[in-house]
Amino acid sequence: MSTQAEITTLDRVRDLIVKYGFIVVTVALFIFFAVTEPAFATSASVLSMLKYASVTAILGLGVTFSMVVGGLDLSIGSTAGLSVQLAAMTMVFYNLTGTTAVSVVLIGGVIVGVMNAVLIVVFKIPDLLATLGMMFVIQGVKLIPVFGQSVSSGMVLPDGSTAPGKFDDWFLQIDRGTLFGIPYPVIIMMVLVVASWFVLSRTSWGRKLYAIGANPEAARLAGVKVKLHHGLAYVVSAVFASIGGIILVSRIGQGDVSAGSSSLLEAVAVALVGTSVLGIGKPNAWGTLLGALLISIVLTGMTMMGTQYYHQDTAKGLVLIVALLLSYTVSRHKNRYVPAT
Amino acid sequence: MTTTTDENWALELDSITIAFGANQVLKGVDLKLRPGSVTALLGANGAGKSTLIKVLSGVYSAQGGTVRVDGDEVEIESPSDASKHGIQTVHQRIDDSIVPGLTVAENLVFEEIARGEFPAVSSLRRLMPRARTIASTLDLDWDDSILKQDVFHLGIADCQLLLLARALVHRPKVLVLDEPTSTLSASEAERLFALVEQLRDAGVAILYVSHRLSEIRQLADTVVVLRDGKVVDEQAAPFDLGVAIGAMLGREALEEESALQVQRGEGTALSISGARILDDSALVDMDFRYGEVTAIIGLIGAGKTELAQAVFGANRLEAGTFTLDGKPFAPRHPSTAVDAGVFLVPEDRAHEAMFPGWSITRTLTVPFLSRFARLGVMAGGAERAASATAIEDFGVVATGPNQPVDALSGGNQQKVVVARWMAAGPRVLILDEPFRGVDIGARTELSLKARSQAADGACVVVMLSDVDELRQVADRVIVLVEGEVRLDAYADEIDDDQIITSMSEVA
């Protein structure tokens, strides 16, 4: 008996679908919307789609890092929400600068990442469950210092006084500003995509992360410090969530208590969609970007065609399921992402 | 084809074959079981015993050959087929068959529950009569309070009895017991032996798999030895167990032995002192020298893997200290060992050395990424070049450095995971069962590589359970029995009989 099964025409067609299916669908949808809605393909609309995609893509990159080591960071959305509150508090309650706010948020992200890492690698709680627990804790804890209210400039505090600070103009420019006509969030997104791609696929550290995701025991017996790197992936994930949170709070201009909570599912979805791009079967940075763009195209197109907002979740869910069908059902590759529980 | 044989066999296997991918595990097994007799099945790790049992119990279906029960040819495609034809198996790992969290009674009638013979929502009381019946087949005097307990409260021995009762209630013609005593104490085992004898007298054909020679002597009417997917020895009582063990460990093929020129190394590389390898074993000391291949040979459970993993920093021994080149060496993580030039090729290739879907190049370089990176950035060219060299040097049959390791044959997979460490220039290289699932050609090449590595000055330690393999590779032999050293000599000072005798001596 030969191990190499014969490759039939059907198999070839399957491989083509798995490899290029998602790119073709994304381009086809773009053309479809561009033809049916004249406003869709204008540069303003394209930039706004990219801008919409930026937060999702950045959080998705964080999820991608956690998926590369075989886990899944469910606390990503609430960490972004925490960042929104931290930034607003720093500027509005304590009257500090936007730069300070950014530093506080990033430090907060590192702390969350380290806590996730400790729960997972030191206390050996499965990734999914540890980050699920952290998700609730963060959602609750972030409300305590703000008395459960959204933080905005000039708000009245419980003791009757008025909050001393306001959102820094510089800080508000993070979302609104442009460089050569390209919005900063889009530039930040592209920088992070390229950096993540480079780290994951061109450095020895990235190789170690993939090794841990593929077979942690084999990685350990090859001398890889599995616990250290597994934990660091969660720190990266939380820092990406914080960066996404900074853009988000700069966009809404207040410390909205519910900000970030809907980002989790989108971020996880785009990272999962990313695994099916080019038939790679593994979490990867460019795939995650494409997933974010695809969702952004679908939502923008639907909005322009006058579809009601409440159809959006259905559309996102269908995109995710099609992606999962491609990587788990149609693909003949066996080295696909399976989250450890 | 229905042939009637001159004798009544409860079970006849005729040239059973099965292969997993390119790996032919059973190469035509013939086996006949008489009703009312106990047949002991012996075989080293990887001989195909568990596969054969899984064929009998319907977990795997045979790809070639025929199975006859009471002279009639039968097809066993599933566990329920096996049960239908009167073949029952009590598997070695009881936790695979016992459902924790359910009561003893529910576990007793679990097969009926699984088949849906009880309503989905059923009170414990309705199960009790059936549970009592099953328990009584073994004369287990378990009263209702025991039956209503969580199965967790039963000891291992009682769980084993529970499973046996579950098997016996079907009144099997053939009963397969896979290492039933491996987790039992001596008195519990005696109770089991009494039962086995009772069943034999009742006319059941019993296939008894065990490594324990004393049990085989006590219980078996026939001994069958499996090696490399074939039956290599068959004896009726009284047995010459020395011959059986010899056949099991493979000492027929002695021709190649002459080719090996025994080297005596110089200078202690690794020294182990006061090591407690297994839970209750005595403290042992060992020295491994540069320039020779030391084989540590022992049966399953002798402590070879425990020792290998401890030296590599992958686990800890209860007691013991190591020195490397005379300096204290206490690796707390494999990374420390790798940095010190102490490498391990682990026993279980697929689970401990390979990454699903990874190319040959990536699999080769994982432990030494820093050698192929500048400031943390991988230098693809250097990596590919190293991979091409390794493929060439080790004669890996592959389409190229980018081929996934999973797609290679067992022998070529093993060459890749061995090459990974050998190409990096080890001081001490430990190979744990490197020839398992490896064809004879690859085995010869890997042996030569190990020998030339030692000739170049490395300290090579090979963990084995097969005397043939030992003769092909080793300069020095250490026999390990239950965590203790029974023999330590150069290969040209001892013959196979001495090795086999000391391996099969029970304390």
Side-chain angles (χ1 to χ4, degrees), chain A residues 270-290:
Chain A
V270 299
L272 282 170
V273 167
T275 64
S276 70
V277 173
L278 285 175
I280 296 170
K282 295 180 304 191
N284 67 95
W286 291 107
T288 302
L289 173 67
L290 192 78

mmCIF file with all atom_site columns, all heavy atoms in Angstrom, chain A residues 270-290:
data_model
loop_
_atom_site.group_PDB
_atom_site.id
_atom_site.type_symbol
_atom_site.label_atom_id
_atom_site.label_alt_id
_atom_site.label_comp_id
_atom_site.label_asym_id
_atom_site.label_entity_id
_atom_site.label_seq_id
_atom_site.pdbx_PDB_ins_code
_atom_site.Cartn_x
_atom_site.Cartn_y
_atom_site.Cartn_z
_atom_site.occupancy
_atom_site.B_iso_or_equiv
_atom_site.pdbx_formal_charge
_atom_site.auth_seq_id
_atom_site.auth_comp_id
_atom_site.auth_asym_id
_atom_site.auth_atom_id
_atom_site.pdbx_PDB_model_num
ATOM 1   N N   . VAL A 1 270 ? -12.180 37.328 12.701 1.00 0.00 ? 270 VAL A N   1
ATOM 2   C CA  . VAL A 1 270 ? -11.248 37.656 11.608 1.00 0.00 ? 270 VAL A CA  1
ATOM 3   C C   . VAL A 1 270 ? -9.971  36.834 11.715 1.00 0.00 ? 270 VAL A C   1
ATOM 4   O O   . VAL A 1 270 ? -9.395  36.436 10.697 1.00 0.00 ? 270 VAL A O   1
ATOM 5   C CB  . VAL A 1 270 ? -10.933 39.169 11.526 1.00 0.00 ? 270 VAL A CB  1
ATOM 6   C CG1 . VAL A 1 270 ? -12.190 39.962 11.265 1.00 0.00 ? 270 VAL A CG1 1
ATOM 7   C CG2 . VAL A 1 270 ? -10.183 39.673 12.742 1.00 0.00 ? 270 VAL A CG2 1
ATOM 8   N N   . ALA A 1 271 ? -9.535  36.526 12.951 1.00 0.00 ? 271 ALA A N   1
ATOM 9   C CA  . ALA A 1 271 ? -8.336  35.700 13.088 1.00 0.00 ? 271 ALA A CA  1
ATOM 10  C C   . ALA A 1 271 ? -8.608  34.282 12.577 1.00 0.00 ? 271 ALA A C   1
ATOM 11  O O   . ALA A 1 271 ? -7.756  33.666 11.930 1.00 0.00 ? 271 ALA A O   1
ATOM 12  C CB  . ALA A 1 271 ? -7.870  35.663 14.541 1.00 0.00 ? 271 ALA A CB  1
ATOM 13  N N   . LEU A 1 272 ? -9.810  33.775 12.833 1.00 0.00 ? 272 LEU A N   1
ATOM 14  C CA  . LEU A 1 272 ? -10.166 32.444 12.334 1.00 0.00 ? 272 LEU A CA  1
ATOM 15  C C   . LEU A 1 272 ? -10.303 32.454 10.816 1.00 0.00 ? 272 LEU A C   1
ATOM 16  O O   . LEU A 1 272 ? -9.848  31.540 10.134 1.00 0.00 ? 272 LEU A O   1
ATOM 17  C CB  . LEU A 1 272 ? -11.478 31.970 12.970 1.00 0.00 ? 272 LEU A CB  1
ATOM 18  C CG  . LEU A 1 272 ? -11.367 31.441 14.399 1.00 0.00 ? 272 LEU A CG  1
ATOM 19  C CD1 . LEU A 1 272 ? -12.742 31.236 14.993 1.00 0.00 ? 272 LEU A CD1 1
ATOM 20  C CD2 . LEU A 1 272 ? -10.586 30.137 14.429 1.00 0.00 ? 272 LEU A CD2 1
ATOM 21  N N   . VAL A 1 273 ? -10.936 33.517 10.290 1.00 0.00 ? 273 VAL A N   1
ATOM 22  C CA  . VAL A 1 273 ? -11.028 33.646 8.838  1.00 0.00 ? 273 VAL A CA  1
ATOM 23  C C   . VAL A 1 273 ? -9.617  33.646 8.266  1.00 0.00 ? 273 VAL A C   1
ATOM 24  O O   . VAL A 1 273 ? -9.339  33.000 7.247  1.00 0.00 ? 273 VAL A O   1
ATOM 25  C CB  . VAL A 1 273 ? -11.780 34.950 8.451  1.00 0.00 ? 273 VAL A CB  1
ATOM 26  C CG1 . VAL A 1 273 ? -11.601 35.252 6.974  1.00 0.00 ? 273 VAL A CG1 1
ATOM 27  C CG2 . VAL A 1 273 ? -13.258 34.824 8.790  1.00 0.00 ? 273 VAL A CG2 1
ATOM 28  N N   . GLY A 1 274 ? -8.717  34.331 8.962  1.00 0.00 ? 274 GLY A N   1
ATOM 29  C CA  . GLY A 1 274 ? -7.328  34.416 8.503  1.00 0.00 ? 274 GLY A CA  1
ATOM 30  C C   . GLY A 1 274 ? -6.659  33.071 8.335  1.00 0.00 ? 274 GLY A C   1
ATOM 31  O O   . GLY A 1 274 ? -5.816  32.904 7.458  1.00 0.00 ? 274 GLY A O   1
ATOM 32  N N   . THR A 1 275 ? -7.045  32.087 9.157  1.00 0.00 ? 275 THR A N   1
ATOM 33  C CA  . THR A 1 275 ? -6.383  30.782 9.034  1.00 0.00 ? 275 THR A CA  1
ATOM 34  C C   . THR A 1 275 ? -6.727  30.107 7.722  1.00 0.00 ? 275 THR A C   1
ATOM 35  O O   . THR A 1 275 ? -6.012  29.219 7.278  1.00 0.00 ? 275 THR A O   1
ATOM 36  C CB  . THR A 1 275 ? -6.790  29.825 10.183 1.00 0.00 ? 275 THR A CB  1
ATOM 37  O OG1 . THR A 1 275 ? -8.190  29.569 10.074 1.00 0.00 ? 275 THR A OG1 1
ATOM 38  C CG2 . THR A 1 275 ? -6.481  30.413 11.531 1.00 0.00 ? 275 THR A CG2 1
ATOM 39  N N   . SER A 1 276 ? -7.843  30.507 7.094  1.00 0.00 ? 276 SER A N   1
ATOM 40  C CA  . SER A 1 276 ? -8.244  29.798 5.883  1.00 0.00 ? 276 SER A CA  1
ATOM 41  C C   . SER A 1 276 ? -7.696  30.471 4.625  1.00 0.00 ? 276 SER A C   1
ATOM 42  O O   . SER A 1 276 ? -7.821  29.944 3.530  1.00 0.00 ? 276 SER A O   1
ATOM 43  C CB  . SER A 1 276 ? -9.762  29.694 5.812  1.00 0.00 ? 276 SER A CB  1
ATOM 44  O OG  . SER A 1 276 ? -10.299 30.968 5.572  1.00 0.00 ? 276 SER A OG  1
ATOM 45  N N   . VAL A 1 277 ? -7.085  31.643 4.779  1.00 0.00 ? 277 VAL A N   1
ATOM 46  C CA  . VAL A 1 277 ? -6.582  32.349 3.601  1.00 0.00 ? 277 VAL A CA  1
ATOM 47  C C   . VAL A 1 277 ? -5.369  31.634 3.025  1.00 0.00 ? 277 VAL A C   1
ATOM 48  O O   . VAL A 1 277 ? -4.491  31.193 3.769  1.00 0.00 ? 277 VAL A O   1
ATOM 49  C CB  . VAL A 1 277 ? -6.225  33.804 3.977  1.00 0.00 ? 277 VAL A CB  1
ATOM 50  C CG1 . VAL A 1 277 ? -5.538  34.498 2.812  1.00 0.00 ? 277 VAL A CG1 1
ATOM 51  C CG2 . VAL A 1 277 ? -7.479  34.544 4.365  1.00 0.00 ? 277 VAL A CG2 1
ATOM 52  N N   . LEU A 1 278 ? -5.339  31.484 1.724  1.00 0.00 ? 278 LEU A N   1
ATOM 53  C CA  . LEU A 1 278 ? -4.248  30.815 1.004  1.00 0.00 ? 278 LEU A CA  1
ATOM 54  C C   . LEU A 1 278 ? -4.047  29.376 1.465  1.00 0.00 ? 278 LEU A C   1
ATOM 55  O O   . LEU A 1 278 ? -3.014  28.779 1.217  1.00 0.00 ? 278 LEU A O   1
ATOM 56  C CB  . LEU A 1 278 ? -2.920  31.590 1.154  1.00 0.00 ? 278 LEU A CB  1
ATOM 57  C CG  . LEU A 1 278 ? -2.837  32.867 0.328  1.00 0.00 ? 278 LEU A CG  1
ATOM 58  C CD1 . LEU A 1 278 ? -1.537  33.620 0.640  1.00 0.00 ? 278 LEU A CD1 1
ATOM 59  C CD2 . LEU A 1 278 ? -2.907  32.561 -1.162 1.00 0.00 ? 278 LEU A CD2 1
ATOM 60  N N   . GLY A 1 279 ? -5.046  28.815 2.133  1.00 0.00 ? 279 GLY A N   1
ATOM 61  C CA  . GLY A 1 279 ? -4.950  27.417 2.544  1.00 0.00 ? 279 GLY A CA  1
ATOM 62  C C   . GLY A 1 279 ? -3.835  27.165 3.538  1.00 0.00 ? 279 GLY A C   1
ATOM 63  O O   . GLY A 1 279 ? -3.340  26.054 3.663  1.00 0.00 ? 279 GLY A O   1
ATOM 64  N N   . ILE A 1 280 ? -3.417  28.224 4.252  1.00 0.00 ? 280 ILE A N   1
ATOM 65  C CA  . ILE A 1 280 ? -2.296  28.062 5.181  1.00 0.00 ? 280 ILE A CA  1
ATOM 66  C C   . ILE A 1 280 ? -2.689  27.168 6.359  1.00 0.00 ? 280 ILE A C   1
ATOM 67  O O   . ILE A 1 280 ? -1.911  26.357 6.824  1.00 0.00 ? 280 ILE A O   1
ATOM 68  C CB  . ILE A 1 280 ? -1.817  29.448 5.673  1.00 0.00 ? 280 ILE A CB  1
ATOM 69  C CG1 . ILE A 1 280 ? -1.272  30.228 4.474  1.00 0.00 ? 280 ILE A CG1 1
ATOM 70  C CG2 . ILE A 1 280 ? -0.750  29.326 6.742  1.00 0.00 ? 280 ILE A CG2 1
ATOM 71  C CD1 . ILE A 1 280 ? -0.991  31.675 4.764  1.00 0.00 ? 280 ILE A CD1 1
ATOM 72  N N   . GLY A 1 281 ? -3.937  27.326 6.790  1.00 0.00 ? 281 GLY A N   1
ATOM 73  C CA  . GLY A 1 281 ? -4.407  26.465 7.874  1.00 0.00 ? 281 GLY A CA  1
ATOM 74  C C   . GLY A 1 281 ? -3.895  26.883 9.234  1.00 0.00 ? 281 GLY A C   1
ATOM 75  O O   . GLY A 1 281 ? -4.233  26.278 10.240 1.00 0.00 ? 281 GLY A O   1
ATOM 76  N N   . LYS A 1 282 ? -3.039  27.877 9.277  1.00 0.00 ? 282 LYS A N   1
ATOM 77  C CA  . LYS A 1 282 ? -2.493  28.325 10.559 1.00 0.00 ? 282 LYS A CA  1
ATOM 78  C C   . LYS A 1 282 ? -2.849  29.792 10.734 1.00 0.00 ? 282 LYS A C   1
ATOM 79  O O   . LYS A 1 282 ? -2.993  30.521 9.755  1.00 0.00 ? 282 LYS A O   1
ATOM 80  C CB  . LYS A 1 282 ? -0.960  28.223 10.553 1.00 0.00 ? 282 LYS A CB  1
ATOM 81  C CG  . LYS A 1 282 ? -0.420  26.849 10.450 1.00 0.00 ? 282 LYS A CG  1
ATOM 82  C CD  . LYS A 1 282 ? 1.106   26.895 10.456 1.00 0.00 ? 282 LYS A CD  1
ATOM 83  C CE  . LYS A 1 282 ? 1.657   27.774 9.364  1.00 0.00 ? 282 LYS A CE  1
ATOM 84  N NZ  . LYS A 1 282 ? 3.100   27.640 9.180  1.00 0.00 ? 282 LYS A NZ  1
ATOM 85  N N   . PRO A 1 283 ? -2.952  30.236 11.990 1.00 0.00 ? 283 PRO A N   1
ATOM 86  C CA  . PRO A 1 283 ? -3.154  31.659 12.211 1.00 0.00 ? 283 PRO A CA  1
ATOM 87  C C   . PRO A 1 283 ? -1.990  32.454 11.619 1.00 0.00 ? 283 PRO A C   1
ATOM 88  O O   . PRO A 1 283 ? -0.833  32.051 11.790 1.00 0.00 ? 283 PRO A O   1
ATOM 89  C CB  . PRO A 1 283 ? -3.169  31.788 13.742 1.00 0.00 ? 283 PRO A CB  1
ATOM 90  C CG  . PRO A 1 283 ? -3.017  30.426 14.300 1.00 0.00 ? 283 PRO A CG  1
ATOM 91  C CD  . PRO A 1 283 ? -2.854  29.454 13.209 1.00 0.00 ? 283 PRO A CD  1
ATOM 92  N N   . ASN A 1 284 ? -2.283  33.550 10.932 1.00 0.00 ? 284 ASN A N   1
ATOM 93  C CA  . ASN A 1 284 ? -1.205  34.348 10.341 1.00 0.00 ? 284 ASN A CA  1
ATOM 94  C C   . ASN A 1 284 ? -1.656  35.788 10.152 1.00 0.00 ? 284 ASN A C   1
ATOM 95  O O   . ASN A 1 284 ? -2.850  36.063 10.049 1.00 0.00 ? 284 ASN A O   1
ATOM 96  C CB  . ASN A 1 284 ? -0.755  33.749 9.008  1.00 0.00 ? 284 ASN A CB  1
ATOM 97  C CG  . ASN A 1 284 ? -1.829  33.840 7.948  1.00 0.00 ? 284 ASN A CG  1
ATOM 98  O OD1 . ASN A 1 284 ? -1.852  34.768 7.158  1.00 0.00 ? 284 ASN A OD1 1
ATOM 99  N ND2 . ASN A 1 284 ? -2.774  32.884 7.946  1.00 0.00 ? 284 ASN A ND2 1
ATOM 100 N N   . ALA A 1 285 ? -0.701  36.717 10.126 1.00 0.00 ? 285 ALA A N   1
ATOM 101 C CA  . ALA A 1 285 ? -1.006  38.149 10.172 1.00 0.00 ? 285 ALA A CA  1
ATOM 102 C C   . ALA A 1 285 ? -1.758  38.631 8.930  1.00 0.00 ? 285 ALA A C   1
ATOM 103 O O   . ALA A 1 285 ? -2.771  39.334 9.042  1.00 0.00 ? 285 ALA A O   1
ATOM 104 C CB  . ALA A 1 285 ? 0.289   38.935 10.349 1.00 0.00 ? 285 ALA A CB  1
ATOM 105 N N   . TRP A 1 286 ? -1.302  38.258 7.739  1.00 0.00 ? 286 TRP A N   1
ATOM 106 C CA  . TRP A 1 286 ? -1.959  38.768 6.533  1.00 0.00 ? 286 TRP A CA  1
ATOM 107 C C   . TRP A 1 286 ? -3.363  38.216 6.411  1.00 0.00 ? 286 TRP A C   1
ATOM 108 O O   . TRP A 1 286 ? -4.281  38.907 5.952  1.00 0.00 ? 286 TRP A O   1
ATOM 109 C CB  . TRP A 1 286 ? -1.146  38.413 5.281  1.00 0.00 ? 286 TRP A CB  1
ATOM 110 C CG  . TRP A 1 286 ? 0.142   39.160 5.203  1.00 0.00 ? 286 TRP A CG  1
ATOM 111 C CD1 . TRP A 1 286 ? 1.394   38.661 5.414  1.00 0.00 ? 286 TRP A CD1 1
ATOM 112 C CD2 . TRP A 1 286 ? 0.310   40.557 4.935  1.00 0.00 ? 286 TRP A CD2 1
ATOM 113 N NE1 . TRP A 1 286 ? 2.321   39.659 5.295  1.00 0.00 ? 286 TRP A NE1 1
ATOM 114 C CE2 . TRP A 1 286 ? 1.695   40.831 4.992  1.00 0.00 ? 286 TRP A CE2 1
ATOM 115 C CE3 . TRP A 1 286 ? -0.576  41.605 4.654  1.00 0.00 ? 286 TRP A CE3 1
ATOM 116 C CZ2 . TRP A 1 286 ? 2.215   42.098 4.780  1.00 0.00 ? 286 TRP A CZ2 1
ATOM 117 C CZ3 . TRP A 1 286 ? -0.045  42.876 4.438  1.00 0.00 ? 286 TRP A CZ3 1
ATOM 118 C CH2 . TRP A 1 286 ? 1.331   43.114 4.499  1.00 0.00 ? 286 TRP A CH2 1
ATOM 119 N N   . GLY A 1 287 ? -3.548  36.983 6.804  1.00 0.00 ? 287 GLY A N   1
ATOM 120 C CA  . GLY A 1 287 ? -4.879  36.391 6.765  1.00 0.00 ? 287 GLY A CA  1
ATOM 121 C C   . GLY A 1 287 ? -5.839  37.159 7.668  1.00 0.00 ? 287 GLY A C   1
ATOM 122 O O   . GLY A 1 287 ? -6.979  37.444 7.300  1.00 0.00 ? 287 GLY A O   1
ATOM 123 N N   . THR A 1 288 ? -5.348  37.512 8.856  1.00 0.00 ? 288 THR A N   1
ATOM 124 C CA  . THR A 1 288 ? -6.163  38.263 9.794  1.00 0.00 ? 288 THR A CA  1
ATOM 125 C C   . THR A 1 288 ? -6.553  39.613 9.190  1.00 0.00 ? 288 THR A C   1
ATOM 126 O O   . THR A 1 288 ? -7.708  40.047 9.278  1.00 0.00 ? 288 THR A O   1
ATOM 127 C CB  . THR A 1 288 ? -5.391  38.456 11.112 1.00 0.00 ? 288 THR A CB  1
ATOM 128 O OG1 . THR A 1 288 ? -5.057  37.173 11.622 1.00 0.00 ? 288 THR A OG1 1
ATOM 129 C CG2 . THR A 1 288 ? -6.225  39.209 12.132 1.00 0.00 ? 288 THR A CG2 1
ATOM 130 N N   . LEU A 1 289 ? -5.599  40.289 8.532  1.00 0.00 ? 289 LEU A N   1
ATOM 131 C CA  . LEU A 1 289 ? -5.896  41.564 7.876  1.00 0.00 ? 289 LEU A CA  1
ATOM 132 C C   . LEU A 1 289 ? -6.984  41.360 6.825  1.00 0.00 ? 289 LEU A C   1
ATOM 133 O O   . LEU A 1 289 ? -7.961  42.114 6.761  1.00 0.00 ? 289 LEU A O   1
ATOM 134 C CB  . LEU A 1 289 ? -4.627  42.129 7.219  1.00 0.00 ? 289 LEU A CB  1
ATOM 135 C CG  . LEU A 1 289 ? -4.867  43.377 6.364  1.00 0.00 ? 289 LEU A CG  1
ATOM 136 C CD1 . LEU A 1 289 ? -5.286  44.557 7.228  1.00 0.00 ? 289 LEU A CD1 1
ATOM 137 C CD2 . LEU A 1 289 ? -3.631  43.736 5.547  1.00 0.00 ? 289 LEU A CD2 1
ATOM 138 N N   . LEU A 1 290 ? -6.829  40.330 5.995  1.00 0.00 ? 290 LEU A N   1
ATOM 139 C CA  . LEU A 1 290 ? -7.814  40.091 4.944  1.00 0.00 ? 290 LEU A CA  1
ATOM 140 C C   . LEU A 1 290 ? -9.193  39.824 5.555  1.00 0.00 ? 290 LEU A C   1
ATOM 141 O O   . LEU A 1 290 ? -10.210 40.299 5.044  1.00 0.00 ? 290 LEU A O   1
ATOM 142 C CB  . LEU A 1 290 ? -7.381  38.916 4.064  1.00 0.00 ? 290 LEU A CB  1
ATOM 143 C CG  . LEU A 1 290 ? -8.203  38.798 2.789  1.00 0.00 ? 290 LEU A CG  1
ATOM 144 C CD1 . LEU A 1 290 ? -7.737  39.816 1.762  1.00 0.00 ? 290 LEU A CD1 1
ATOM 145 C CD2 . LEU A 1 290 ? -8.135  37.404 2.207  1.00 0.00 ? 290 LEU A CD2 1
#
